[in-house]
Coordinates of all heavy atoms in Angstrom, one line a residue:
K2 N 30.3 -11.9 -54.2 CA 30.1 -13.3 -54.0 C 29.7 -13.7 -52.6 O 30.3 -13.2 -51.7 CB 31.3 -14.2 -54.5 CG 31.0 -15.6 -54.4 CD 32.1 -16.4 -55.1 CE 32.0 -17.8 -54.8 NZ 31.4 -18.7 -55.7
F3 N 28.6 -14.5 -52.5 CA 28.2 -14.9 -51.1 C 29.1 -16.0 -50.6 O 29.6 -16.8 -51.4 CB 26.7 -15.4 -51.2 CG 25.7 -14.3 -51.5 CD1 25.1 -14.3 -52.7 CD2 25.5 -13.3 -50.6 CE1 24.2 -13.3 -53.0 CE2 24.6 -12.3 -50.9 CZ 23.9 -12.3 -52.1
L4 N 29.2 -16.1 -49.3 CA 29.9 -17.2 -48.7 C 29.1 -18.5 -48.7 O 29.6 -19.6 -48.5 CB 30.3 -16.8 -47.2 CG 31.2 -15.6 -47.1 CD1 31.5 -15.3 -45.6 CD2 32.6 -15.9 -47.8
V5 N 27.8 -18.3 -48.8 CA 26.9 -19.5 -48.8 C 26.0 -19.4 -50.0 O 25.6 -18.3 -50.4 CB 25.9 -19.4 -47.5 CG1 24.9 -20.6 -47.6 CG2 26.7 -19.4 -46.3
D6 N 25.8 -20.5 -50.7 CA 24.9 -20.5 -51.9 C 23.5 -20.4 -51.4 O 23.0 -21.2 -50.6 CB 25.1 -21.8 -52.7 CG 26.4 -21.9 -53.3 OD1 27.0 -20.8 -53.7 OD2 26.9 -23.0 -53.5
L7 N 22.8 -19.4 -51.9 CA 21.4 -19.2 -51.6 C 20.5 -19.7 -52.7 O 20.8 -19.6 -53.9 CB 21.1 -17.7 -51.4 CG 21.9 -17.0 -50.3 CD1 21.7 -15.5 -50.4 CD2 21.7 -17.6 -49.0
V8 N 19.4 -20.2 -52.3 CA 18.4 -20.7 -53.3 C 17.0 -20.2 -52.9 O 16.7 -19.8 -51.7 CB 18.3 -22.3 -53.3 CG1 19.6 -22.9 -53.8 CG2 17.9 -22.9 -52.0
H9 N 16.1 -20.1 -53.9 CA 14.8 -19.6 -53.7 C 14.0 -20.7 -52.8 O 14.0 -21.8 -53.2 CB 14.1 -19.4 -55.0 CG 12.6 -19.0 -54.9 ND1 12.3 -17.8 -54.3 CD2 11.5 -19.6 -55.1 CE1 11.0 -17.7 -54.3 NE2 10.5 -18.8 -54.8
A10 N 13.4 -20.3 -51.7 CA 12.8 -21.2 -50.8 C 11.3 -21.4 -51.1 O 10.8 -22.5 -51.0 CB 13.0 -20.8 -49.4
G11 N 10.6 -20.4 -51.5 CA 9.2 -20.5 -51.8 C 8.3 -20.2 -50.6 O 8.7 -20.2 -49.5
L12 N 7.1 -20.0 -50.9 CA 6.1 -19.6 -49.9 C 5.8 -20.7 -48.9 O 5.7 -20.5 -47.7 CB 4.8 -19.2 -50.6 CG 3.7 -18.7 -49.7 CD1 4.1 -17.4 -48.9 CD2 2.4 -18.4 -50.5
K13 N 5.7 -21.9 -49.4 CA 5.5 -23.1 -48.4 C 6.6 -23.2 -47.4 O 6.4 -23.5 -46.3 CB 5.2 -24.4 -49.2 CG 4.0 -24.4 -50.1 CD 2.8 -24.2 -49.3 CE 1.6 -24.3 -50.2 NZ 0.3 -24.2 -49.5
T14 N 7.8 -23.0 -47.8 CA 8.9 -23.1 -46.9 C 8.8 -22.0 -45.9 O 9.1 -22.2 -44.7 CB 10.3 -23.0 -47.7 OG1 10.4 -24.0 -48.6 CG2 11.5 -23.0 -46.7
L15 N 8.5 -20.8 -46.3 CA 8.3 -19.7 -45.4 C 7.3 -20.0 -44.3 O 7.4 -19.7 -43.2 CB 8.0 -18.4 -46.1 CG 9.1 -17.8 -47.0 CD1 8.6 -16.6 -47.7 CD2 10.4 -17.5 -46.1
G16 N 6.2 -20.6 -44.8 CA 5.1 -21.0 -43.9 C 5.6 -22.0 -42.8 O 5.2 -21.9 -41.7
S17 N 6.4 -23.0 -43.2 CA 6.8 -24.0 -42.3 C 7.9 -23.4 -41.3 O 7.9 -23.7 -40.1 CB 7.4 -25.2 -43.0 OG 8.5 -24.9 -43.7
L18 N 8.7 -22.5 -41.8 CA 9.7 -21.9 -41.0 C 9.0 -21.0 -40.0 O 9.4 -20.8 -38.8 CB 10.7 -21.1 -41.8 CG 11.6 -22.0 -42.7 CD1 12.5 -21.1 -43.6 CD2 12.4 -22.9 -41.9
R19 N 7.9 -20.4 -40.4 CA 7.1 -19.5 -39.5 C 6.6 -20.4 -38.3 O 6.6 -19.9 -37.2 CB 5.9 -19.0 -40.3 CG 4.9 -18.3 -39.4 CD 3.6 -18.0 -40.2 NE 2.9 -19.1 -40.6 CZ 2.2 -19.9 -39.9 NH1 2.0 -19.7 -38.6 NH2 1.5 -21.0 -40.4
L20 N 6.1 -21.6 -38.6 CA 5.7 -22.5 -37.5 C 6.8 -22.8 -36.6 O 6.6 -22.9 -35.3 CB 5.1 -23.7 -38.1 CG 3.8 -23.6 -38.9 CD1 3.4 -24.9 -39.6 CD2 2.7 -23.1 -37.9
E21 N 8.0 -23.1 -37.1 CA 9.1 -23.4 -36.2 C 9.5 -22.3 -35.3 O 9.9 -22.5 -34.2 CB 10.3 -23.8 -37.1 CG 10.1 -25.2 -37.7 CD 11.3 -25.6 -38.6 OE1 12.3 -24.8 -38.6 OE2 11.2 -26.6 -39.3
K22 N 9.3 -21.1 -35.8 CA 9.7 -19.9 -34.9 C 8.5 -19.5 -34.0 O 8.7 -18.7 -33.1 CB 10.0 -18.7 -35.8 CG 11.3 -18.9 -36.6 CD 11.7 -17.6 -37.3 CE 12.0 -16.5 -36.5 NZ 13.3 -16.3 -36.1
G23 N 7.4 -20.1 -34.2 CA 6.2 -19.8 -33.3 C 5.5 -18.5 -33.8 O 4.7 -18.0 -33.0
Y24 N 5.7 -18.1 -35.0 CA 4.9 -17.0 -35.5 C 3.5 -17.4 -35.8 O 3.3 -18.5 -36.2 CB 5.5 -16.4 -36.8 CG 6.9 -15.7 -36.6 CD1 7.6 -15.3 -37.7 CD2 7.4 -15.5 -35.4 CE1 8.8 -14.6 -37.6 CE2 8.6 -14.8 -35.3 CZ 9.3 -14.4 -36.4 OH 10.5 -13.8 -36.2
R25 N 2.5 -16.5 -35.6 CA 1.1 -16.8 -35.8 C 0.7 -16.2 -37.2 O 1.2 -15.1 -37.5 CB 0.2 -16.3 -34.7 CG 0.2 -17.1 -33.5 CD 1.4 -16.9 -32.7 NE 1.4 -17.4 -31.4 CZ 2.4 -17.5 -30.6 NH1 3.6 -17.1 -31.1 NH2 2.3 -17.9 -29.4
D26 N -0.1 -16.9 -37.9 CA -0.6 -16.4 -39.2 C -2.0 -16.1 -39.0 O -2.9 -16.9 -38.8 CB -0.4 -17.5 -40.3 CG -0.8 -17.0 -41.7 OD1 -1.2 -15.8 -41.8 OD2 -0.7 -17.8 -42.6
Y27 N -2.4 -14.8 -39.1 CA -3.7 -14.3 -38.9 C -4.6 -14.9 -40.0 O -4.3 -14.8 -41.2 CB -3.8 -12.8 -38.9 CG -5.2 -12.3 -38.6 CD1 -5.6 -12.2 -37.3 CD2 -6.1 -12.0 -39.6 CE1 -6.9 -11.8 -36.9 CE2 -7.4 -11.6 -39.3 CZ -7.8 -11.5 -37.9 OH -9.0 -11.0 -37.6
G28 N -5.6 -15.6 -39.7 CA -6.5 -16.2 -40.7 C -6.3 -17.7 -40.7 O -7.2 -18.5 -41.1
H29 N -5.1 -18.2 -40.3 CA -4.9 -19.6 -40.2 C -4.7 -20.1 -38.8 O -5.4 -21.0 -38.4 CB -3.6 -20.0 -41.0 CG -3.8 -19.9 -42.5 ND1 -4.4 -20.8 -43.2 CD2 -3.4 -18.9 -43.3 CE1 -4.4 -20.4 -44.5 NE2 -3.8 -19.2 -44.6
D30 N -3.8 -19.5 -38.0 CA -3.6 -19.9 -36.6 C -4.5 -19.2 -35.7 O -4.9 -19.7 -34.7 CB -2.1 -19.7 -36.3 CG -1.2 -20.4 -37.2 OD1 -1.5 -21.5 -37.6 OD2 -0.1 -19.8 -37.5
I31 N -4.7 -17.9 -35.9 CA -5.5 -17.0 -35.1 C -6.4 -16.2 -35.9 O -6.2 -16.0 -37.1 CB -4.6 -16.1 -34.2 CG1 -3.7 -15.2 -35.0 CG2 -3.8 -16.9 -33.2 CD1 -3.0 -14.2 -34.2
D32 N -7.5 -15.7 -35.3 CA -8.4 -14.8 -36.0 C -9.0 -13.9 -34.9 O -8.6 -13.8 -33.8 CB -9.5 -15.6 -36.8 CG -10.4 -16.5 -35.9 OD1 -10.5 -16.2 -34.7 OD2 -10.9 -17.4 -36.5
N33 N -10.1 -13.2 -35.3 CA -10.7 -12.2 -34.5 C -11.4 -12.8 -33.3 O -11.9 -12.0 -32.4 CB -11.6 -11.2 -35.3 CG -12.7 -11.9 -35.9 OD1 -12.7 -13.1 -36.1 ND2 -13.8 -11.1 -36.2
T34 N -11.6 -14.1 -33.2 CA -12.2 -14.7 -32.1 C -11.2 -15.1 -31.0 O -11.6 -15.5 -29.9 CB -13.0 -16.0 -32.5 OG1 -12.1 -16.9 -33.0 CG2 -14.1 -15.6 -33.6
D35 N -10.0 -15.0 -31.2 CA -8.9 -15.3 -30.3 C -8.5 -14.1 -29.5 O -8.4 -13.0 -30.0 CB -7.7 -15.9 -31.0 CG -8.0 -17.2 -31.7 OD1 -8.4 -18.1 -31.0 OD2 -7.8 -17.3 -32.9
T36 N -8.3 -14.3 -28.2 CA -7.7 -13.2 -27.4 C -6.2 -13.3 -27.5 O -5.6 -14.3 -27.9 CB -8.2 -13.3 -25.9 OG1 -7.5 -14.4 -25.3 CG2 -9.7 -13.4 -25.8
I37 N -5.6 -12.2 -27.1 CA -4.1 -12.1 -27.1 C -3.5 -13.2 -26.1 O -2.5 -13.7 -26.3 CB -3.7 -10.7 -26.7 CG1 -2.2 -10.5 -27.1 CG2 -3.8 -10.4 -25.3 CD1 -2.1 -9.8 -28.4
I38 N -4.3 -13.5 -25.0 CA -3.9 -14.5 -24.1 C -4.0 -15.9 -24.7 O -3.0 -16.7 -24.7 CB -4.7 -14.5 -22.8 CG1 -4.7 -13.1 -22.2 CG2 -4.4 -15.6 -21.9 CD1 -3.5 -12.8 -21.3
D39 N -5.1 -16.2 -25.4 CA -5.3 -17.5 -26.1 C -4.2 -17.7 -27.1 O -3.8 -18.9 -27.3 CB -6.7 -17.6 -26.7 CG -7.8 -17.6 -25.6 OD1 -7.5 -18.0 -24.5 OD2 -8.9 -17.3 -26.0
A40 N -3.8 -16.7 -27.8 CA -2.9 -16.8 -28.9 C -1.4 -16.9 -28.4 O -0.5 -17.1 -29.1 CB -3.0 -15.6 -29.8
G41 N -1.3 -16.7 -27.1 CA 0.1 -16.8 -26.5 C 0.9 -15.6 -26.8 O 2.1 -15.6 -26.8
L42 N 0.2 -14.4 -27.0 CA 1.0 -13.2 -27.4 C 0.9 -12.1 -26.4 O 1.1 -10.9 -26.6 CB 0.4 -12.7 -28.7 CG 0.6 -13.6 -29.9 CD1 -0.1 -13.1 -31.2 CD2 2.1 -13.7 -30.3
A43 N 0.5 -12.5 -25.1 CA 0.4 -11.5 -24.1 C 1.7 -10.7 -23.8 O 1.7 -9.6 -23.4 CB -0.1 -12.1 -22.8
F44 N 2.8 -11.4 -24.1 CA 4.1 -10.7 -23.9 C 4.3 -9.5 -24.8 O 5.2 -8.7 -24.6 CB 5.3 -11.7 -24.2 CG 5.4 -12.2 -25.6 CD1 6.3 -11.5 -26.4 CD2 4.7 -13.2 -26.1 CE1 6.4 -11.9 -27.8 CE2 4.8 -13.6 -27.4 CZ 5.7 -13.0 -28.2
T45 N 3.5 -9.4 -25.8 CA 3.6 -8.2 -26.8 C 2.8 -7.0 -26.2 O 3.0 -5.9 -26.8 CB 3.0 -8.6 -28.2 OG1 1.6 -8.9 -28.1 CG2 3.8 -9.8 -28.7
C46 N 2.1 -7.2 -25.2 CA 1.3 -6.1 -24.6 C 2.1 -5.3 -23.6 O 2.7 -5.8 -22.8 CB 0.0 -6.6 -24.0 SG -1.2 -7.3 -25.1
N47 N 2.0 -4.0 -23.7 CA 2.6 -3.1 -22.7 C 1.4 -2.7 -21.8 O 0.7 -1.7 -22.0 CB 3.2 -1.9 -23.4 CG 3.8 -0.9 -22.4 OD1 3.8 -1.2 -21.2 ND2 4.4 0.1 -22.9
F48 N 1.3 -3.4 -20.7 CA 0.2 -3.1 -19.7 C 0.4 -1.9 -19.0 O -0.5 -1.3 -18.4 CB 0.0 -4.3 -18.8 CG -0.5 -5.6 -19.5 CD1 0.4 -6.6 -19.8 CD2 -1.8 -5.7 -19.9 CE1 -0.1 -7.7 -20.4 CE2 -2.3 -6.8 -20.5 CZ -1.4 -7.8 -20.8
G49 N 1.6 -1.3 -19.0 CA 1.9 -0.1 -18.3 C 1.9 1.1 -19.2 O 2.2 2.2 -18.8
K50 N 1.4 1.0 -20.4 CA 1.3 2.1 -21.4 C 0.4 3.2 -20.9 O -0.7 2.9 -20.4 CB 0.8 1.5 -22.7 CG 0.7 2.5 -23.8 CD 0.2 1.9 -25.1 CE 0.0 2.9 -26.2 NZ -0.5 2.3 -27.4
S51 N 0.9 4.4 -21.0 CA 0.0 5.5 -20.6 C -1.2 5.6 -21.5 O -1.2 5.5 -22.7 CB 0.8 6.8 -20.8 OG 0.0 7.9 -20.6
G52 N -2.4 5.6 -20.9 CA -3.6 5.6 -21.6 C -4.1 4.2 -22.0 O -5.2 4.0 -22.4
G53 N -3.3 3.2 -21.7 CA -3.7 1.8 -22.0 C -3.9 1.5 -23.5 O -3.3 2.2 -24.3
F54 N -4.7 0.5 -23.8 CA -5.0 0.2 -25.2 C -6.4 -0.4 -25.3 O -6.9 -0.8 -24.3 CB -3.9 -0.8 -25.8 CG -3.8 -2.1 -25.0 CD1 -4.6 -3.2 -25.2 CD2 -2.8 -2.2 -24.0 CE1 -4.4 -4.4 -24.5 CE2 -2.6 -3.4 -23.2 CZ -3.5 -4.4 -23.5
I55 N -6.9 -0.5 -26.5 CA -8.3 -1.0 -26.6 C -8.3 -2.4 -26.2 O -7.5 -3.2 -26.7 CB -8.7 -0.8 -28.1 CG1 -8.8 0.7 -28.5 CG2 -10.1 -1.5 -28.4 CD1 -9.0 0.9 -30.0
G56 N -9.3 -2.8 -25.3 CA -9.4 -4.1 -24.9 C -8.6 -4.5 -23.7 O -8.5 -5.6 -23.2
Q57 N -7.8 -3.5 -23.1 CA -6.9 -3.8 -22.0 C -7.6 -4.4 -20.8 O -7.1 -5.3 -20.2 CB -6.1 -2.5 -21.6 CG -5.1 -2.8 -20.5 CD -4.3 -1.6 -20.2 OE1 -4.3 -0.6 -21.0 NE2 -3.5 -1.7 -19.2
A58 N -8.8 -3.8 -20.5 CA -9.5 -4.3 -19.3 C -9.9 -5.8 -19.5 O -9.7 -6.6 -18.5 CB -10.8 -3.5 -19.1
A59 N -10.3 -6.2 -20.6 CA -10.7 -7.6 -20.9 C -9.5 -8.5 -20.8 O -9.6 -9.6 -20.3 CB -11.4 -7.7 -22.2
V60 N -8.4 -8.0 -21.4 CA -7.2 -8.8 -21.4 C -6.6 -9.0 -20.0 O -6.3 -10.1 -19.5 CB -6.1 -8.2 -22.3 CG1 -4.7 -8.9 -22.1 CG2 -6.5 -8.2 -23.7
L61 N -6.7 -8.0 -19.2 CA -6.2 -8.0 -17.8 C -7.1 -9.0 -17.0 O -6.6 -9.7 -16.1 CB -6.2 -6.7 -17.2 CG -5.0 -5.8 -17.6 CD1 -5.1 -4.4 -17.0 CD2 -3.7 -6.4 -17.1
Q62 N -8.4 -8.9 -17.2 CA -9.4 -9.8 -16.5 C -9.1 -11.2 -16.8 O -9.0 -12.1 -15.9 CB -10.8 -9.4 -16.9 CG -11.8 -10.2 -16.2 CD -13.2 -9.9 -16.6 OE1 -13.5 -9.1 -17.5 NE2 -14.2 -10.4 -15.9
Q63 N -8.8 -11.6 -18.1 CA -8.5 -12.9 -18.5 C -7.2 -13.4 -17.9 O -7.0 -14.5 -17.4 CB -8.5 -13.1 -20.0 CG -8.3 -14.6 -20.4 CD -8.3 -14.8 -21.9 OE1 -8.2 -13.8 -22.7 NE2 -8.3 -16.0 -22.3
K64 N -6.2 -12.5 -17.9 CA -4.9 -12.8 -17.4 C -4.9 -13.1 -15.9 O -4.3 -14.0 -15.4 CB -3.9 -11.6 -17.7 CG -2.5 -11.9 -17.3 CD -1.6 -10.7 -17.8 CE -0.2 -11.1 -17.4 NZ 0.7 -10.0 -17.8
Q65 N -5.7 -12.2 -15.2 CA -5.8 -12.4 -13.7 C -6.6 -13.7 -13.4 O -6.3 -14.4 -12.4 CB -6.4 -11.2 -13.1 CG -5.6 -10.0 -13.1 CD -6.3 -8.7 -12.7 OE1 -7.5 -8.7 -12.6 NE2 -5.5 -7.6 -12.6
A66 N -7.5 -14.1 -14.2 CA -8.3 -15.3 -14.0 C -7.5 -16.5 -14.3 O -7.8 -17.6 -13.8 CB -9.6 -15.3 -14.9
G67 N -6.4 -16.4 -15.1 CA -5.5 -17.5 -15.4 C -6.2 -18.5 -16.3 O -5.7 -19.6 -16.5
A68 N -7.3 -18.1 -17.0 CA -8.0 -19.0 -17.8 C -7.7 -18.8 -19.3 O -7.7 -17.6 -19.7 CB -9.5 -18.9 -17.6
R69 N -7.5 -19.8 -20.0 CA -7.3 -19.8 -21.5 C -8.4 -20.7 -22.1 O -8.6 -21.8 -21.7 CB -5.9 -20.2 -21.9 CG -4.8 -19.3 -21.5 CD -3.5 -19.8 -21.9 NE -3.3 -19.9 -23.3 CZ -2.1 -20.2 -23.8 NH1 -1.1 -20.5 -23.1 NH2 -2.0 -20.2 -25.2
K70 N -9.1 -20.1 -23.1 CA -10.1 -21.0 -23.8 C -9.4 -21.9 -24.7 O -9.9 -23.1 -24.8 CB -11.0 -20.1 -24.6 CG -11.9 -19.2 -23.8 CD -12.9 -18.4 -24.7 CE -12.1 -17.4 -25.4 NZ -12.9 -16.5 -26.3
R71 N -8.3 -21.5 -25.3 CA -7.6 -22.3 -26.3 C -6.1 -22.0 -26.2 O -5.7 -21.0 -25.6 CB -8.1 -22.0 -27.7 CG -9.6 -22.2 -27.9 CD -10.1 -22.0 -29.3 NE -9.4 -20.9 -30.0 CZ -9.6 -20.8 -31.3 NH1 -10.3 -21.6 -32.0 NH2 -9.0 -19.9 -32.0
A72 N -5.4 -22.9 -26.7 CA -3.9 -22.7 -26.8 C -3.4 -23.2 -28.1 O -3.9 -24.3 -28.6 CB -3.2 -23.5 -25.7
L73 N -2.5 -22.5 -28.7 CA -1.9 -22.9 -30.0 C -0.7 -23.8 -29.7 O 0.2 -23.4 -28.9 CB -1.4 -21.6 -30.7 CG -0.8 -21.8 -32.1 CD1 -1.8 -22.4 -33.1 CD2 -0.3 -20.5 -32.6
L74 N -0.8 -25.0 -30.2 CA 0.2 -26.0 -29.9 C 0.9 -26.4 -31.2 O 0.3 -26.3 -32.3 CB -0.4 -27.2 -29.3 CG -1.1 -27.0 -28.0 CD1 -1.8 -28.3 -27.5 CD2 -0.2 -26.5 -26.9
Q75 N 2.1 -26.9 -31.1 CA 2.8 -27.5 -32.2 C 3.1 -29.0 -31.9 O 3.4 -29.3 -30.7 CB 4.1 -26.8 -32.5 CG 4.0 -25.4 -33.0 CD 5.3 -24.8 -33.2 OE1 6.3 -25.2 -32.6 NE2 5.4 -23.7 -34.0
I76 N 2.9 -29.8 -32.9 CA 3.2 -31.2 -32.7 C 4.2 -31.7 -33.8 O 4.2 -31.2 -34.8 CB 1.9 -32.1 -32.7 CG1 1.2 -31.9 -34.0 CG2 1.0 -31.7 -31.5 CD1 0.1 -32.9 -34.2
L77 N 4.9 -32.7 -33.4 CA 5.8 -33.3 -34.4 C 5.3 -34.7 -34.9 O 5.0 -35.5 -34.0 CB 7.2 -33.6 -33.8 CG 8.2 -34.3 -34.6 CD1 8.6 -33.5 -35.9 CD2 9.5 -34.6 -33.8
V78 N 5.0 -34.8 -36.2 CA 4.5 -36.0 -36.7 C 5.7 -36.7 -37.4 O 6.3 -36.2 -38.3 CB 3.4 -35.7 -37.8 CG1 2.8 -37.0 -38.4 CG2 2.3 -34.9 -37.1
K79 N 5.9 -37.9 -37.0 CA 7.1 -38.7 -37.5 C 6.7 -39.5 -38.8 O 7.6 -40.0 -39.5 CB 7.7 -39.6 -36.4 CG 8.3 -38.8 -35.3 CD 8.9 -39.7 -34.3 CE 9.6 -38.9 -33.2 NZ 10.3 -39.8 -32.3
D80 N 5.4 -39.7 -39.0 CA 5.0 -40.4 -40.2 C 5.1 -39.5 -41.4 O 4.4 -38.5 -41.5 CB 3.5 -40.9 -40.0 CG 3.0 -41.7 -41.1 OD1 3.7 -41.9 -42.1 OD2 1.9 -42.2 -41.0
P81 N 5.9 -39.9 -42.4 CA 6.0 -39.0 -43.6 C 4.8 -39.0 -44.5 O 4.7 -38.2 -45.4 CB 7.3 -39.6 -44.3 CG 7.3 -41.0 -43.9 CD 6.8 -41.0 -42.5
D82 N 3.9 -40.0 -44.3 CA 2.7 -40.1 -45.2 C 1.5 -39.5 -44.5 O 0.4 -39.9 -45.0 CB 2.5 -41.6 -45.6 CG 3.7 -42.1 -46.4 OD1 4.2 -41.4 -47.2 OD2 4.0 -43.3 -46.1
V83 N 1.6 -38.7 -43.5 CA 0.5 -38.2 -42.8 C -0.3 -37.3 -43.8 O 0.2 -36.6 -44.6 CB 0.9 -37.4 -41.5 CG1 1.6 -36.1 -41.9 CG2 -0.3 -37.2 -40.7
M84 N -1.7 -37.4 -43.6 CA -2.5 -36.6 -44.5 C -2.8 -35.3 -43.8 O -3.2 -35.2 -42.6 CB -3.9 -37.3 -44.7 CG -3.7 -38.6 -45.4 SD -3.2 -38.4 -47.1 CE -4.6 -37.6 -47.8
L85 N -2.6 -34.2 -44.6 CA -2.9 -32.8 -44.0 C -4.2 -32.3 -44.7 O -4.5 -32.5 -45.8 CB -1.8 -31.9 -44.4 CG -0.4 -32.3 -43.8 CD1 0.7 -31.3 -44.3 CD2 -0.4 -32.3 -42.3
Y86 N -5.0 -31.7 -43.8 CA -6.3 -31.1 -44.3 C -6.3 -29.6 -44.0 O -5.7 -29.2 -43.1 CB -7.4 -31.8 -43.6 CG -7.5 -33.3 -43.8 CD1 -6.9 -34.1 -42.9 CD2 -8.1 -33.8 -45.0 CE1 -7.0 -35.5 -43.1 CE2 -8.1 -35.1 -45.2 CZ -7.6 -36.0 -44.3 OH -7.6 -37.3 -44.5
G87 N -6.9 -28.9 -44.9 CA -7.0 -27.4 -44.7 C -5.8 -26.7 -45.3 O -5.3 -27.1 -46.3
A88 N -5.3 -25.7 -44.5 CA -4.2 -24.9 -45.0 C -2.8 -25.2 -44.4 O -1.9 -24.4 -44.4 CB -4.5 -23.4 -44.8
E89 N -2.7 -26.5 -43.9 CA -1.4 -26.8 -43.3 C -0.3 -26.8 -44.4 O -0.5 -27.1 -45.5 CB -1.5 -28.2 -42.7 CG -2.4 -28.3 -41.5 CD -3.8 -28.8 -42.0 OE1 -4.1 -28.7 -43.2 OE2 -4.6 -29.2 -41.2
V90 N 0.9 -26.5 -43.9 CA 2.1 -26.5 -44.8 C 3.1 -27.6 -44.3 O 3.1 -28.0 -43.2 CB 2.7 -25.2 -44.9 CG1 1.8 -24.2 -45.6 CG2 3.1 -24.6 -43.6

């Protein structure tokens, strides 16, 4: 027996919880036109890795320039009747 009653949450709940945790969904939040810097995921790169990684020079160049083309942001909407368009959850 569980100490807490568990219920099925569903896919839409997982999507909203993903947003709260700051997880990115490839195809919705980011795609192949975003750099690791723009997506806010530079912390996942091991720049000291032996042999480097594909695209490392471009990422380092963008990081040193301090320039981001875009930034993924979260906003809190207090209006419960707000209209969502696209794939928002």
